[in-house]
């Protein structure tokens, strides 16, 4: 029998993941008026907002203002936030299907792509993702010992994340004090020995993925200056004419400006390098990074990087790879290993009824925070079509009380949206007392201690 959705028996949807995609999907479900809907938004962390809290650079606070809209969505009486709930254990795939008419996976891309070169597992070599999680106070990374004894750091990749980590590495403690960077990271970075950071792109400046605003910031730092080799950004007339993207045109202009600057003698330098590929991370003899061997490249007629057989060794003791994120499979959910996404057709999970996906775990890691709104809305449109046309299987236990009983029976300490608001207020008050925008609580146990009375 086709399920009829009413205010007393609304369409029950579980959203797995409370980052931008999950909240945009929830917003789309609330805004539509065809079907009464009730949404439970899950996250394995006590805190909501995903990469907005743990991925966006701490000194880019304006980007985080999107959370004001997120707060309105999660505060809607038709929505519940269930934090500190791990999908696959606390809430299994079978549990979700039994308690919801539809399940929407929006867990992002939490892993990273590797370089695939010798020495990648030496101490001091890690993903930029790990470094970002550490300085943003992610509970999984907060306890990590990040010894910044390196004087030289290589950042492999030329996207905005590569620029973010490079900028954080060379900013002064005074500059970082105005951000919401985690306190442990601020202390460690204040004692950092980093003097030189090399940002490495295997192709030319016209192929780099960063945006101009982020690039320009390197020309405005207190104690660091950009260094660009003119020969690495030189373009033929044909190459220049082939650039149609305005952002890439502006990037080339900014890089030319950097290349033409006289050295100011600042304490730190960011070397923006192009047409170089890492080929080996060298061992210092004690299992730590002792240098990075790179090969110089040229571009072939198709714009691909081709090695020239010329090598140099960069004097670095730390290597951060920033060559792309990758999704991680969820228990019981079909996964496309090759692409690193949940197998899906326009957001409908392949071979499944009533299961959907949105965001990076649907399409791969591309776009900015706002890109996920349309992506999530498109998936929700398919979900609503399936609901209206009677294609959803229907939940056996479609109530909030049944979910609460299930989680309580497993001993799960569910962190509610009200609990988050208590923690949020605490972080803001502590930050204000320190003259900072926010002082993050970074350990899960301490987060769970801040609960609604």
């Amino acid at each position: 029998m086709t399920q009829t959705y009413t205010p007393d028996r609304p369409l029950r949807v579980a959203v797995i993941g409370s980052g931008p995609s999950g909240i945009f999907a929830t917003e789309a479900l609330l805004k539509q008026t065809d079907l009464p809907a009730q949404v439970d938004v899950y996250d394995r962390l006590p805190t909501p907002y995903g990469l907005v809290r743990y991925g966006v650079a701490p000194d880019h606070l304006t980007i985080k203002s999107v959370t004001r809209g997120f707060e309105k969505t999660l505060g809607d009486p038709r929505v519940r936030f269930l934090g500190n709930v791990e999908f696959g254990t606390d809430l299994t795939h079978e549990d979700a299907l039994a308690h919801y008419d539809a399940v929407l996976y929006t867990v992002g891309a939490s892993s990273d792509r590797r370089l695939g070169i010798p020495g990648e597992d030496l101490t001091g070599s890690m993903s930029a993702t790990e470094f970002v999680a550490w300085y943003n106070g992610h509970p999984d990374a907060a306890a990590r010992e990040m010894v910044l004894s390196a004087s030289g750091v290589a950042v492999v990749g030329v996207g905005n994340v590569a620029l973010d980590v490079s900028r954080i590495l060379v900013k002064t403690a005074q500059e970082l004090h105005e951000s919401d960077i985690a306190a442990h990271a601020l202390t460690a970075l204040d004692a950092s020995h980093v003097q030189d950071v090399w940002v490495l792109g295997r192709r030319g400046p016209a192929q780099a993925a960063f945006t101009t605003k982020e690039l320009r910031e390197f020309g405005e730092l207190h104690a660091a200056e950009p260094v660009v080799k003119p020969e690495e950004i030189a373009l033929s007339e044909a190459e220049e004419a082939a650039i149609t993207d305005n952002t890439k045109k502006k990037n080339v202009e900014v890089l030319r400006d950097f290349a033409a600057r006289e050295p100011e003698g600042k304490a730190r330098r960011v070397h923006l390098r192009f047409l170089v590929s890492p080929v080996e991370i060298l061992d210092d003899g004690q299992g730590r990074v002792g240098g990075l061997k790179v090969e110089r490249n040229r571009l072939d007629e198709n714009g691909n990087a081709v090695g020239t057989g010329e090598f140099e060794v960069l004097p670095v003791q730390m290597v951060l790879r920033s060559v792309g994120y990758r999704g991680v499979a969820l228990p019981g959910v079909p996964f496309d290993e090759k692409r690193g996404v949940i197998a899906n057709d326009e957001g409908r999970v392949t071979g499944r009824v009533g299961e959907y996906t949105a965001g990076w775990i649907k399409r791969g890691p591309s776009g900015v925070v706002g890109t996920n709104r349309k992506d999530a809305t498109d998936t929700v449109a398919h979900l609503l079509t399936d609901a209206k046309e009677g294609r959803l299987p229907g939940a056996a236990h479609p109530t909030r009380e049944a979910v609460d009983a299930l989680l309580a029976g497993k001993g799960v300490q569910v962190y509610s949206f009200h609990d988050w608001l208590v923690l949020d207020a605490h972080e803001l008050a502590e930050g204000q007392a320190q003259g900072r925008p926010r002082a993050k609580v970074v350990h899960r146990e301490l987060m769970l201690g801040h609960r609604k009375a």
Side-chain angles (χ1 to χ4, degrees), residues 183-220:
H184 63 260
L186 185 58
T187 301
L189 287 161
D190 188 27
S192 162
H193 292 85
V194 173
Q195 293 178 314
D196 289 275
V197 176
W198 282 267
V199 184
L200 309 177
R202 63 188 175 86
R203 295 194 292 165
Q207 289 80 35
F210 48 66
T211 48
T212 312
K213 179 177 178 290
E214 279 65 29
L215 180 61
R216 280 201 181 106
E217 289 182 68
F218 287 99
E220 301 158 1

Side-chain angles (χ1 to χ4, degrees), residues 235-428:
L235 298 172
S236 68
E237 284 184 24
E239 286 171 324
E240 189 133 9
I243 305 174
T244 54
D245 184 292
N246 274 335
T247 298
K248 294 189 188 304
K249 281 182 183 175
K250 288 176 185 170
N251 286 347
V252 170
E253 287 172 19
V254 173
L255 289 166
R256 283 175 176 158
D257 170 55
F258 289 169
R261 291 186 183 190
E262 286 295 322
E264 294 179 67
K266 290 184 177 179
R268 292 172 170 173
R269 293 158 294 280
V270 178
H271 307 262
L272 296 154
R273 298 287 307 273
F274 298 93
L275 296 168
V276 287
S277 289
V279 292
E280 183 181 1
I281 301 174
L282 304 178
D283 193 323
D284 71 349
Q286 298 178 41
R288 298 188 297 250
V289 174
L292 179 66
K293 185 178 182 181
V294 298
E295 181 175 14
R296 292 180 186 153
N297 298 327
R298 61 174 180 81
L299 296 183
D300 67 13
E301 60 277 4
N302 298 315
N304 297 316
V306 178
T308 63
E310 288 180 69
F311 300 92
E312 66 178 299
V313 174
L314 302 177
V316 301
Q317 301 79 43
M318 187 179 194
V319 176
L320 300 174
R321 61 180 180 270
S322 182
V323 291
Y325 291 93
R326 180 179 167 79
V328 175
L330 292 173
V333 182
F335 193 69
D336 182 337
E337 284 288 349
K338 188 175 179 184
R339 294 183 56 220
V341 298
I342 289 174
N344 73 94
D345 179 14
E346 294 184 353
R348 289 184 173 99
V349 176
T350 304
R352 299 290 176 84
V353 179
E355 295 180 61
Y356 305 86
T357 184
W360 282 7
I361 197 65
K362 166 189 171 184
R363 70 180 190 277
S366 63
V368 293
V369 171
T371 314
N372 292 299
R373 185 189 291 273
K374 182 180 186 307
D375 183 278
T377 304
D378 288 347
T379 291
V380 167
H382 289 315
L383 187 162
L384 293 168
T385 296
D386 293 345
K388 285 182 272 193
E389 294 181 1
R391 288 199 286 266
L392 300 184
H397 312 290
T399 66
R400 288 177 167 178
E401 294 73 20
V403 170
D404 293 343
L406 170 78
L407 296 173
K410 294 186 180 189
V412 180
Q413 289 187 65
V414 177
Y415 204 74
S416 71
F417 187 59
H418 291 293
D419 293 331
W420 155 246
L421 292 178
V422 171
L423 175 62
D424 184 43
H426 167 80
E427 290 185 342
L428 292 171

Side-chain angles (χ1 to χ4, degrees), residues 91-128:
L91 181 81
T92 67
H93 181 250
E94 293 74 20
D95 292 335
L97 297 182
H99 290 81
Y100 298 95
D101 302 304
V103 182
L104 178 53
Y105 306 107
T106 61
V107 294
S110 58
S111 184
D112 72 288
R113 298 188 183 279
R114 288 174 63 85
L115 299 172
I117 62 174
E120 197 164 3
D121 294 314
L122 289 169
T123 301
S125 167
M126 69 187 79
S127 71

